[in-house]
Amino acid sequence: MLSTLFLLLPVISPTLAWIPVQDWGSGNVTSSVGSLGECVCHVYLPDTTFPADRVQHMQQISKDLIQEVQIQMNKIKTYEIKLEIYLGELKKLLDRVTILGSSADDYIKLDFELLRIELREFESLVSQLKDAFNSSSPMFDSLYTEIRNMTLIVNTLESYDKSNLQVIRIEFVKLQKKLEECQKEQEFLKPDIGNCNHTGIMRLSKPMVSQLNSHLQTSYIYGGWGKDSKPAKGSESTYFYSGSSSTLTTQFYFYPDYKHLLLMSTSSSLDIPPSYRGYGNNYIVRGNSIYYQRYSPFSMGKYNLTSKLYDSRVIPTATTAFSYSYSNNQNMDFAADEKGLWVMYASEESKGKLVIAKIDEKGFGIENVWNTAAYKQMTGNAFMACGVMYATRSVDLNTEEIYYSFDTKSGEEKHLNIRFPKFQENYSSLDYNPTDQLLYMYSNGYYVSYHVRFNTA
């Protein structure tokens, strides 16, 4: 921006009299003599216009996305109800066909046109489910093919052939099984919260990327986010976030719900004083308290958001010599699940292998300890679910896998191969939350999460 000030000597502008020329910077002010002998000053002012229009545009896009997600969730609920209704109708239809197979006198009761109408309804339902889930799953394709085959059979069944009737009965059984498989697949989106009556994790969903961190800084590659795993009444929807360009832990932000997290609005913050600051990013919030790795002395740190009090406990065997493979200073990893509060670390005695310790939440001490066979420096991260520790490692740039588990109840360990896609190559934290059965990952500055499906078969 170029502003030209004409000063007719000896008159002096009252504005310029209050602002010394030397304070403007030598590179921003030049002067010359005009054709009439007047003094002409050229002042170059920087363009400091705040891009409010872009911020408003970004907020509007975020609101639109939230509304779209809500619409899609409502669709899923609607299709779930339809699926249950159609499955019940299909069972009734199967009973009718079974009765027909027992008596030739009942053949005339079979309304073929009704069968065709009902099959068209099934076909429409599958198409709607496929569009709603935006999925090209072989299960949907196979179910669609089965329905079309059934329609062809019904069209030829009017020849009153008992063998054909047996064929359609068999096909209805197949179709029923397909719909039941579809229903089970949909139940993946409906977690059985608090239930540990299963044999462990079966698979993870595709990564769900929310957005870049609340600072909108791609350099903030270290951090974590998530929800309170044991929230107080009224705080069930509260989210926390902390991020930095280093592994130093100095500040936390809290948002009343997911919408405010995305819009980066209505937040409260906590600044950790220097004497209680931490290192590492594997912190969690549980019972309205933050659990993190305290820097000095090296110990478990705790801050109670209700009482505003700090506390710490030293674990004598824990060491700073071993960290996860993706970043430094990840020495203590806090976790929470259906069974309580945990911390994982490595020690000289364990020769760098992960140690699981159960934390007494009331006394903030160690209740019990288990040694595992997972080398921490070969592990990307670890988390607890239903009292079982799961350790991850990199397969390639785009793929991670849960390769090891240790059950603290039975002492059983397993070597696993549960692969899941990564959003980016590295991540600094990974925590399971029992309130929604989601894995919360902080991946190079982005909020990422996964649905966890357990094997209940």
Side-chain angles (χ1 to χ4, degrees), residues 219-223 243-249 279 281:
S219 61
Y220 279 32
I221 62 175
Y222 302 102
S244 176
S245 57
S246 72
T247 57
L248 186 64
T249 305
Y279 259 144
N281 312 115

Side-chain angles (χ1 to χ4, degrees), residues 266-333:
T266 320
S267 67
S268 59
S269 62
L270 166 68
D271 292 310
I272 300 178
S275 59
Y276 274 93
R277 285 180 178 171
Y279 259 144
N281 312 115
N282 290 279
Y283 33 70
I284 63 168
V285 177
R286 180 173 176 83
N288 212 34
S289 292
I290 304 172
Y291 294 88
Y292 65 99
Q293 174 185 314
R294 188 178 176 186
Y295 172 54
S296 181
F298 173 62
S299 57
M300 298 190 298
K302 176 183 178 182
Y303 177 75
N304 189 300
L305 294 164
T306 303
S307 65
K308 313 298 182 185
L309 296 177
Y310 285 91
D311 199 358
S312 64
R313 292 288 188 277
V314 173
I315 302 178
T317 57
T319 177
T320 59
F322 306 99
S323 181
Y324 287 134
S325 62
Y326 289 132
S327 60
N328 297 324
N329 302 318
Q330 313 295 331
N331 308 118
M332 287 188 182
D333 184 1

